[in-house]
Coordinates of all heavy atoms in Angstrom, one line a residue:
M978 N 65.8 66.8 24.2 CA 64.9 65.7 24.3 C 65.6 64.6 25.2 O 65.0 64.0 26.0 CB 64.6 65.2 23.0 CG 63.5 64.1 23.0 SD 62.0 64.8 23.7 CE 60.9 63.5 23.3
A979 N 66.9 64.5 25.0 CA 67.7 63.5 25.8 C 67.7 63.9 27.2 O 67.7 63.0 28.1 CB 69.1 63.3 25.2
D980 N 67.8 65.2 27.5 CA 67.8 65.6 28.9 C 66.5 65.3 29.6 O 66.4 64.9 30.7 CB 68.1 67.1 29.0 CG 69.5 67.5 28.6 OD1 70.4 66.6 28.7 OD2 69.7 68.6 28.2
L981 N 65.4 65.5 28.8 CA 64.0 65.2 29.4 C 63.9 63.7 29.7 O 63.4 63.3 30.8 CB 63.0 65.6 28.4 CG 61.5 65.3 28.8 CD1 61.1 66.1 30.1 CD2 60.6 65.6 27.7
I982 N 64.3 62.9 28.8 CA 64.3 61.4 29.0 C 65.1 61.0 30.1 O 64.7 60.2 31.0 CB 64.6 60.7 27.7 CG1 63.5 60.9 26.6 CG2 64.8 59.2 27.9 CD1 63.9 60.3 25.3
S983 N 66.3 61.5 30.3 CA 67.2 61.1 31.4 C 66.6 61.6 32.7 O 66.7 60.9 33.7 CB 68.6 61.6 31.2 OG 68.6 63.1 31.2
R984 N 65.9 62.7 32.7 CA 65.3 63.2 33.9 C 64.1 62.4 34.3 O 63.9 62.2 35.5 CB 64.9 64.7 33.7 CG 64.4 65.3 35.0 CD 64.2 66.8 34.8 NE 63.5 67.2 36.0 CZ 63.6 68.4 36.5 NH1 64.3 69.3 35.9 NH2 62.9 68.7 37.6
L985 N 63.3 61.9 33.3 CA 62.2 61.1 33.6 C 62.6 59.7 34.1 O 61.8 59.1 34.9 CB 61.3 61.0 32.4 CG 60.4 62.2 32.0 CD1 59.7 62.0 30.7 CD2 59.4 62.6 33.1
K986 N 63.7 59.2 33.7 CA 64.2 57.9 34.1 C 64.7 57.9 35.5 O 64.7 56.9 36.2 CB 65.3 57.4 33.2 CG 64.7 56.9 31.9 CD 65.9 56.4 31.0 CE 65.4 55.9 29.7 NZ 66.5 55.4 28.9
D987 N 65.2 59.0 36.0 CA 65.8 59.1 37.3 C 64.8 59.3 38.4 O 64.1 60.2 38.4 CB 66.8 60.3 37.4 CG 67.6 60.4 38.6 OD1 67.6 59.4 39.4 OD2 68.2 61.4 38.9
P988 N 64.6 58.3 39.3 CA 63.5 58.3 40.3 C 63.7 59.4 41.3 O 62.7 59.8 41.9 CB 63.6 57.0 41.0 CG 64.9 56.3 40.6 CD 65.4 57.0 39.4
S989 N 64.9 60.0 41.5 CA 65.1 61.0 42.5 C 65.0 62.4 42.0 O 65.1 63.4 42.8 CB 66.4 60.8 43.3 OG 67.5 60.9 42.3
S990 N 64.9 62.6 40.7 CA 65.1 63.9 40.1 C 63.8 64.8 40.1 O 63.9 66.0 39.9 CB 65.7 63.9 38.7 OG 64.8 63.3 37.8
L991 N 62.7 64.1 40.1 CA 61.4 64.8 40.0 C 60.7 64.8 41.4 O 60.9 64.0 42.2 CB 60.5 64.2 39.0 CG 61.0 64.3 37.5 CD1 60.0 63.6 36.6 CD2 61.1 65.8 37.1
V992 N 59.8 65.8 41.5 CA 59.0 65.9 42.8 C 58.0 64.7 42.8 O 57.7 64.3 43.9 CB 58.3 67.3 42.8 CG1 57.3 67.4 44.0 CG2 59.3 68.4 42.8
C993 N 57.5 64.2 41.7 CA 56.5 63.2 41.7 C 57.0 61.9 42.2 O 57.5 61.1 41.4 CB 56.0 63.1 40.3 SG 54.6 61.9 40.1
G994 N 57.0 61.7 43.5 CA 57.4 60.4 44.0 C 56.4 59.3 43.9 O 56.8 58.1 44.1
V995 N 55.2 59.6 43.7 CA 54.1 58.6 43.6 C 54.4 57.7 42.3 O 54.4 56.5 42.4 CB 52.7 59.2 43.5 CG1 51.7 58.2 43.2 CG2 52.4 59.9 44.8
A996 N 54.7 58.3 41.2 CA 55.0 57.5 40.0 C 56.2 56.7 40.2 O 56.3 55.5 39.8 CB 55.1 58.4 38.8
A997 N 57.3 57.3 40.8 CA 58.5 56.5 41.0 C 58.3 55.4 42.0 O 58.8 54.2 41.8 CB 59.6 57.4 41.6
S998 N 57.5 55.6 43.0 CA 57.2 54.5 44.0 C 56.4 53.4 43.4 O 56.6 52.2 43.6 CB 56.5 55.1 45.2 OG 57.3 56.0 45.9
M999 N 55.4 53.8 42.5 CA 54.6 52.8 41.8 C 55.4 52.0 40.9 O 55.2 50.8 40.8 CB 53.5 53.6 41.1 CG 52.1 52.9 41.2 SD 50.9 54.0 40.6 CE 50.8 53.5 38.9
A1000 N 56.3 52.6 40.2 CA 57.2 51.9 39.2 C 58.1 50.9 40.0 O 58.3 49.8 39.5 CB 58.0 52.9 38.4
D1001 N 58.6 51.4 41.1 CA 59.4 50.5 41.9 C 58.6 49.3 42.5 O 59.1 48.2 42.5 CB 60.1 51.3 43.0 CG 61.1 50.5 43.8 OD1 61.9 49.8 43.2 OD2 61.1 50.5 45.1
K1002 N 57.4 49.6 43.0 CA 56.6 48.6 43.6 C 56.2 47.5 42.6 O 56.3 46.3 42.9 CB 55.3 49.2 44.1 CG 54.2 48.3 44.5 CD 54.4 47.7 45.9 CE 53.2 46.9 46.3 NZ 53.6 46.0 47.3
F1003 N 55.8 47.8 41.4 CA 55.4 46.9 40.4 C 56.5 46.5 39.4 O 56.2 45.8 38.4 CB 54.1 47.4 39.7 CG 53.0 47.6 40.6 CD1 52.5 48.9 40.9 CD2 52.3 46.5 41.1 CE1 51.4 49.0 41.7 CE2 51.2 46.7 42.0 CZ 50.8 47.9 42.3
E1004 N 57.7 47.0 39.6 CA 58.9 46.7 38.8 C 58.6 47.2 37.3 O 58.9 46.5 36.4 CB 59.3 45.3 38.8 CG 59.7 44.8 40.2 CD 60.1 43.4 40.3 OE1 60.0 42.7 39.3 OE2 60.3 43.0 41.4
W1005 N 58.0 48.4 37.2 CA 57.8 49.0 35.9 C 58.9 50.0 35.6 O 59.7 50.3 36.5 CB 56.5 49.7 35.8 CG 55.3 48.9 36.0 CD1 55.1 47.6 35.8 CD2 54.0 49.3 36.5 NE1 53.9 47.1 36.1 CE2 53.1 48.2 36.5 CE3 53.5 50.6 36.9 CZ2 51.8 48.3 36.9 CZ3 52.2 50.6 37.3 CH2 51.3 49.5 37.3
S1006 N 59.0 50.4 34.4 CA 60.0 51.4 34.0 C 59.5 52.8 34.6 O 58.3 53.2 34.4 CB 60.0 51.5 32.5 OG 60.7 52.7 32.1
C1007 N 60.4 53.5 35.2 CA 60.0 54.8 35.8 C 59.7 55.8 34.7 O 58.8 56.6 34.9 CB 61.2 55.3 36.6 SG 60.8 56.6 37.7
L1008 N 60.4 55.7 33.6 CA 60.1 56.6 32.5 C 58.7 56.5 32.0 O 57.9 57.4 31.9 CB 61.1 56.4 31.4 CG 60.7 57.0 30.0 CD1 60.9 58.5 30.1 CD2 61.6 56.5 28.9
W1009 N 58.3 55.2 31.7 CA 56.9 55.0 31.1 C 55.8 55.2 32.1 O 54.7 55.6 31.8 CB 56.9 53.6 30.5 CG 57.7 53.6 29.2 CD1 58.8 52.9 29.0 CD2 57.5 54.4 28.0 NE1 59.3 53.2 27.8 CE2 58.5 54.1 27.2 CE3 56.5 55.3 27.7 CZ2 58.6 54.7 25.9 CZ3 56.6 55.9 26.4 CH2 57.7 55.6 25.6
T1010 N 56.1 54.9 33.4 CA 55.1 55.2 34.4 C 54.8 56.7 34.5 O 53.7 57.1 34.6 CB 55.6 54.7 35.8 OG1 55.9 53.3 35.7 CG2 54.5 54.8 36.9
R1011 N 55.9 57.5 34.5 CA 55.7 58.9 34.5 C 55.0 59.5 33.3 O 54.2 60.4 33.4 CB 57.0 59.6 34.8 CG 57.5 59.5 36.2 CD 58.7 60.2 36.5 NE 59.0 60.2 37.9 CZ 60.2 60.3 38.4 NH1 61.3 60.3 37.6 NH2 60.4 60.3 39.7
V1012 N 55.4 58.9 32.1 CA 54.7 59.3 30.9 C 53.2 59.0 30.9 O 52.4 59.9 30.6 CB 55.4 58.7 29.7 CG1 54.6 58.9 28.4 CG2 56.8 59.2 29.5
V1013 N 52.9 57.9 31.4 CA 51.4 57.5 31.4 C 50.7 58.4 32.5 O 49.6 58.9 32.2 CB 51.3 56.0 31.8 CG1 49.8 55.7 32.2 CG2 51.7 55.1 30.6
C1014 N 51.3 58.7 33.6 CA 50.7 59.6 34.6 C 50.6 61.0 34.0 O 49.5 61.6 34.2 CB 51.6 59.6 35.8 SG 51.5 58.1 36.8
A1015 N 51.5 61.5 33.3 CA 51.5 62.8 32.7 C 50.3 62.9 31.6 O 49.6 63.9 31.6 CB 52.8 63.2 32.1
V1016 N 50.2 61.8 30.8 CA 49.1 61.8 29.8 C 47.8 61.8 30.5 O 46.8 62.4 30.1 CB 49.3 60.6 28.8 CG1 48.1 60.4 28.0 CG2 50.6 60.8 28.0
A1017 N 47.7 61.0 31.5 CA 46.4 60.9 32.3 C 46.0 62.2 32.9 O 44.8 62.6 32.8 CB 46.5 59.8 33.3
V1018 N 47.0 62.9 33.5 CA 46.7 64.2 34.1 C 46.4 65.2 33.0 O 45.5 66.1 33.2 CB 47.9 64.6 34.9 CG1 47.8 66.1 35.4 CG2 48.0 63.8 36.2
F1019 N 47.0 65.1 31.8 CA 46.8 66.1 30.8 C 45.4 65.9 30.2 O 44.7 66.8 29.9 CB 47.8 65.9 29.6 CG 47.6 66.8 28.5 CD1 47.9 68.2 28.6 CD2 47.1 66.4 27.3 CE1 47.8 69.0 27.5 CE2 46.9 67.2 26.2 CZ 47.2 68.6 26.4
C1020 N 44.9 64.6 30.1 CA 43.6 64.3 29.6 C 42.5 64.7 30.5 O 41.4 65.2 30.1 CB 43.5 62.8 29.2 SG 44.5 62.4 27.8
N1021 N 42.7 64.5 31.8 CA 41.6 64.8 32.8 C 42.3 65.2 34.1 O 42.6 64.4 35.0 CB 40.8 63.6 33.1 CG 39.6 63.9 33.9 OD1 39.4 65.0 34.4 ND2 38.6 62.9 33.9
P1022 N 42.6 66.5 34.2 CA 43.4 67.0 35.4 C 42.7 66.8 36.7 O 43.4 66.4 37.7 CB 43.5 68.5 35.1 CG 43.2 68.7 33.7 CD 42.3 67.6 33.3
A1023 N 41.4 66.9 36.8 CA 40.7 66.7 38.1 C 40.8 65.2 38.6 O 41.2 65.0 39.7 CB 39.3 67.1 38.0
M1024 N 40.6 64.3 37.7 CA 40.7 62.9 38.0 C 42.1 62.5 38.3 O 42.4 61.7 39.2 CB 40.1 62.0 36.9 CG 40.0 60.6 37.3 SD 39.1 60.2 38.7 CE 37.4 60.6 38.2
G1025 N 43.1 63.1 37.6 CA 44.5 62.8 37.8 C 44.9 63.3 39.2 O 45.7 62.6 39.9
L1026 N 44.4 64.4 39.6 CA 44.7 64.9 41.0 C 44.1 64.0 42.0 O 44.8 63.7 43.0 CB 44.2 66.4 41.1 CG 44.5 67.1 42.4 CD1 46.0 67.3 42.5 CD2 43.8 68.4 42.5
V1027 N 42.9 63.6 41.8 CA 42.3 62.7 42.8 C 43.1 61.3 42.9 O 43.4 60.8 44.0 CB 40.8 62.4 42.4 CG1 40.2 61.3 43.3 CG2 40.0 63.7 42.6
I1028 N 43.4 60.8 41.7 CA 44.2 59.5 41.7 C 45.5 59.7 42.4 O 46.0 58.8 43.1 CB 44.3 59.0 40.3 CG1 42.9 58.6 39.8 CG2 45.3 57.9 40.2 CD1 42.9 58.2 38.3
Y1029 N 46.2 60.9 42.1 CA 47.5 61.1 42.7 C 47.4 61.1 44.2 O 48.2 60.5 44.9 CB 48.0 62.5 42.2 CG 49.3 62.8 42.8 CD1 50.5 62.4 42.3 CD2 49.4 63.7 44.0 CE1 51.7 62.7 42.8 CE2 50.6 64.0 44.5 CZ 51.8 63.5 43.9 OH 53.0 63.8 44.5
F1030 N 46.4 61.8 44.8 CA 46.3 61.8 46.3 C 45.9 60.4 46.8 O 46.4 60.1 47.9 CB 45.3 62.9 46.7 CG 45.8 64.3 46.6 CD1 45.2 65.2 45.8 CD2 46.9 64.6 47.4 CE1 45.7 66.5 45.8 CE2 47.5 65.9 47.3 CZ 46.9 66.8 46.5
V1031 N 45.1 59.7 46.1 CA 44.7 58.3 46.6 C 46.0 57.5 46.6 O 46.2 56.7 47.6 CB 43.6 57.7 45.7 CG1 43.5 56.2 46.0 CG2 42.3 58.4 45.9
L1032 N 46.7 57.5 45.5 CA 48.0 56.7 45.5 C 49.0 57.2 46.5 O 49.7 56.4 47.1 CB 48.6 56.8 44.1 CG 47.8 56.0 43.0 CD1 48.5 56.2 41.7 CD2 47.8 54.5 43.4
A1033 N 49.1 58.5 46.8 CA 50.0 59.0 47.8 C 49.6 58.5 49.2 O 50.5 58.3 50.0 CB 50.0 60.5 47.8
L1034 N 48.3 58.3 49.4 CA 47.9 57.8 50.7 C 48.0 56.2 50.8 O 48.3 55.7 51.8 CB 46.4 58.1 50.9 CG 46.1 59.6 51.1 CD1 44.6 59.8 51.2 CD2 46.8 60.1 52.4
L1035 N 47.9 55.5 49.6 CA 48.0 54.1 49.7 C 49.4 53.5 49.6 O 49.6 52.5 50.2 CB 47.2 53.5 48.5 CG 45.7 53.6 48.6 CD1 45.0 53.0 47.3 CD2 45.2 52.8 49.8
L1036 N 50.3 54.2 48.9 CA 51.6 53.6 48.7 C 52.4 53.4 50.0 O 53.0 52.4 50.2 CB 52.4 54.5 47.8 CG 52.1 54.3 46.3 CD1 52.9 55.3 45.5 CD2 52.4 52.9 45.8
P1037 N 52.3 54.3 51.0 CA 52.9 53.9 52.3 C 52.4 52.7 53.0 O 53.1 51.9 53.6 CB 52.7 55.1 53.2 CG 52.5 56.3 52.2 CD 51.8 55.6 51.1
K1038 N 51.1 52.4 52.8 CA 50.5 51.2 53.4 C 51.0 50.0 52.6 O 51.2 48.9 53.2 CB 49.0 51.3 53.3 CG 48.4 52.3 54.2 CD 46.9 52.4 54.2 CE 46.4 53.5 55.0 NZ 45.0 53.7 55.0
W1039 N 51.2 50.1 51.3 CA 51.7 49.0 50.5 C 53.1 48.6 50.9 O 53.5 47.5 50.9 CB 51.7 49.3 49.0 CG 50.3 49.3 48.4 CD1 49.2 48.7 48.9 CD2 49.9 49.8 47.1 NE1 48.1 48.8 48.0 CE2 48.6 49.5 46.9 CE3 50.6 50.5 46.1 CZ2 47.9 49.9 45.8 CZ3 49.9 50.9 45.0 CH2 48.6 50.6 44.8
E1040 N 53.9 49.7 51.1 CA 55.3 49.5 51.5 C 55.4 48.8 52.8 O 56.4 48.0 53.1 CB 56.0 50.8 51.5 CG 56.2 51.4 50.1 CD 56.8 52.8 50.1 OE1 57.0 53.3 51.3 OE2 57.0 53.4 49.1
K1041 N 54.5 49.0 53.8 CA 54.6 48.4 55.1 C 54.3 46.9 55.0 O 54.8 46.1 55.8 CB 53.6 49.1 56.1 CG 54.0 50.4 56.5 CD 53.0 51.1 57.4 CE 53.4 52.5 57.7 NZ 52.3 53.1 58.5
Q1042 N 53.5 46.5 54.0 CA 53.1 45.1 53.9 C 54.2 44.2 53.3 O 54.2 43.0 53.5 CB 51.8 45.0 53.1 CG 50.6 45.5 53.7 CD 49.4 45.5 52.8 OE1 49.4 45.1 51.7 NE2 48.2 45.9 53.4
C1043 N 55.1 44.8 52.6 CA 56.1 44.0 51.9 C 57.2 43.6 52.9 O 57.5 44.0 53.9 CB 56.8 44.9 50.8 SG 55.7 45.2 49.5

């Protein structure tokens, strides 16, 4: 369990860069951002996939404005 938590906290260790970028943008915990994203995808996979792609397209635009 400790290995899973340490892996979720590390922004560079997982493929899911959207959750890590979102956590960095809004200064949230990377661990809890990924946990919430995982729960959302588990509850509704189709909507989670749509939201993931929308955020993947929007996050680069957010980064340019900063």
Side-chain angles (χ1 to χ4, degrees):
M978 188 65 168
D980 290 337
L981 176 65
I982 291 174
S983 66
R984 186 172 172 151
L985 287 172
K986 284 183 181 179
D987 186 14
S989 63
S990 67
L991 292 178
V992 175
C993 183
V995 171
S998 297
M999 224 168 91
D1001 187 45
K1002 168 81 176 160
F1003 298 109
E1004 297 178 4
W1005 296 337
S1006 167
C1007 193
L1008 168 69
W1009 290 112
T1010 305
R1011 285 185 172 150
V1012 168
V1013 168
C1014 289
V1016 168
V1018 168
F1019 181 74
C1020 290
N1021 190 349
M1024 188 57 70
L1026 186 63
V1027 169
I1028 291 171
Y1029 179 83
F1030 283 120
V1031 167
L1032 288 175
L1034 293 172
L1035 287 179
L1036 282 175
K1038 292 180 184 177
W1039 285 345
E1040 290 172 358
K1041 290 179 185 176
Q1042 292 175 357
C1043 293

